[in-house]
Amino acid sequence: MSEKMPQFERPEPVIVGPASVEKKEEYKQTILGRFGEHHYDQIANDKKQLFESLEYQKKPYEKLAIEEANEITNSIISDFGLRPFDISERNIHIVPDKLYKEIEGDSSKRAVTIQELQMIILNAERIVYPVERASTIFHEIIHLKTFLSIEAHEDLYGVRRCGLEMSSSRKKEEKTGFFIAFSGLNEAVVSEIQKRYFPELLRKNQFLVDEYNWGMSEEARVLKEEKAKEEKADISEIAWVTKDGKDYGGFPYRGQRKVLNYIADVLYEENAGEFSSRDEVMRLFFKAHFDGKSLPIARLIEKSFGKGSFRMVGMMDDKLNSARLVRDYLTKHKNKKSSG
């Protein structure tokens, strides 16, 4: 593994845009300053008081989940030739519903990563089970370790890209309005990493190893089969189930991951000579999440599904219907290309 960055340090964000060199440096240091040691300093005083009074102290299993999530993601990052780094505990906030809504506003999501603030927030009242909370921490850490670029202007700055997700430039926004592209693909990649390494996350956590052993038991398998039938999903989509079978949870963004896996299948099928395995194709997406280099993926998708198909994939957001529409488009254009 490459040498890990010092504590409380993260890779510098890429700065683009027309701002002066001085302004770009200022914005870059703002982002870096919000990571780690001085994270709390950037929180407005009124919000800081809320954090101090309402934020929960992390439990031992949560602390270890953060540690293990860092270890797993650092191994992945290092394999891609990138320098690993840790997300500090202080960048992760586990809060009651009241504070979550005060900070995030969107009550439909149970957790969020705010790149501008280098902050992860979990709604403790909506993520109750330890195994589910550990998995969510892992998901959000994958988000915060993403490739990050900032668009800088003299009067303001904003996130341009995080992972595969891309926001409209200010120039484009003035013409067509604000938009975000590839958010669905970005969530699919993050969730696919989460799903792949979830068992390892539990197995290595001494406070959750019993949950891991239960999940691997025959009794749990039977219960998972029942839940999978209810969900009309593969059993591998059921992440955990309680011993009484009353509660269970799956991996997020299943529809978006179906699209991602369909793309990986087709790319491997049509480029088998270039890849030693399907897993190698999937790792192209993982790598792009961490290094921001999506051009190789774009070329392969356009080659297999036709001109404009990568842009169509970019239109997939986090809604299930969006994933279905993109899957239908890709299937149709793959078939057209094959018959042609």
Side-chain angles (χ1 to χ4, degrees), residues 211 214 220 223-224 227 238-243 245 247-249:
E211 295 281 357
W214 157 248
L223 290 173
K224 286 181 179 180
K227 302 307 177 186
I238 308 301
W240 58 272
V241 62
T242 55
K243 291 184 179 180
D247 286 313
Y248 66 98

Side-chain angles (χ1 to χ4, degrees), residues 216-233:
M216 298 296 288
S217 70
E218 177 62 19
E219 295 89 341
R221 188 194 67 78
V222 171
L223 290 173
K224 286 181 179 180
E225 285 255 354
E226 292 176 3
K227 302 307 177 186
K229 287 179 181 177
E230 290 176 18
E231 292 282 335
K232 297 181 180 178

Side-chain angles (χ1 to χ4, degrees), residues 164-165 181-191 256 259-260 263 285 289 294 297 301 310 313-314 316-318:
L164 289 160
E165 183 178 294
F182 297 100
S183 60
L185 182 63
N186 194 59
E187 288 291 4
V189 170
V190 169
S191 300
Q256 287 73 14
V259 174
L260 171 62
I263 292 171
F285 290 88
H289 172 77
S294 59
I297 293 172
I301 289 176
F310 186 62
V313 173
M316 180 172 67
D317 58 25
D318 59 359

Side-chain angles (χ1 to χ4, degrees), residues 2 13 21-23 25 27-28 46 86 91 126 132 142 150 165 177 189 212 243 271 273 275 277 296 306 312 315 322:
S2 305
V21 173
E22 292 77 16
K23 271 293 179 183
E25 182 63 23
Y27 295 147
K28 180 177 72 176
D46 58 334
D86 285 343
N91 286 78
R126 296 194 62 197
E132 183 182 23
I142 298 168
I150 302 296
E165 183 178 294
V189 170
Y212 169 79
K243 291 184 179 180
N271 301 276
F275 299 101
S277 66
M312 177 59 67
M315 296 174 70
S322 169

Side-chain angles (χ1 to χ4, degrees), residues 80-93:
F80 293 139
L82 304 170
R83 196 172 179 189
F85 65 103
D86 285 343
I87 304 298
S88 165
E89 280 185 30
R90 69 184 60 193
N91 286 78
I92 302 170
H93 307 272

